[in-house]
Amino acid sequence: MAKSNIQLIKMVSTADTGYFYVKKKNPRNSTEKFEMRKYDPRARKHVVFKESKMK
């Protein structure tokens, strides 16, 4: 059976609330960093979330 290439990444809020989502990413298909608008419940609005590494 082949080894999976999917990695878990952390999507951190740019509103500096410390809130984050965890997302799956295949680095072979998408080499650039993710950036998406999602809801931040601590800021109570939609903000940009950027990719960072899981620790």
Side-chain angles (χ1 to χ4, degrees):
M1 191 169 206
K3 186 177 176 184
S4 175
N5 283 340
I6 295 176
Q7 296 175 342
L8 290 177
I9 59 167
K10 187 192 282 190
M11 301 292 292
V12 180
S13 173
T14 57
D16 293 330
T17 57
Y19 192 78
F20 65 91
Y21 288 97
V22 175
K23 185 168 174 53
K24 293 179 182 178
K25 176 183 175 180
N26 186 343
R28 283 189 181 179
N29 297 340
S30 54
T31 56
E32 68 280 348
K33 293 207 173 216
F34 278 152
E35 190 173 292
M36 41 180 27
R37 281 180 57 89
K38 292 182 77 64
Y39 183 73
D40 186 345
R42 293 186 185 165
R44 296 190 193 152
K45 58 184 174 180
H46 282 82
V47 294
V48 176
F49 280 76
K50 293 190 176 182
E51 176 183 338
S52 69
K53 289 188 176 181
M54 294 283 285
K55 291 186 177 178

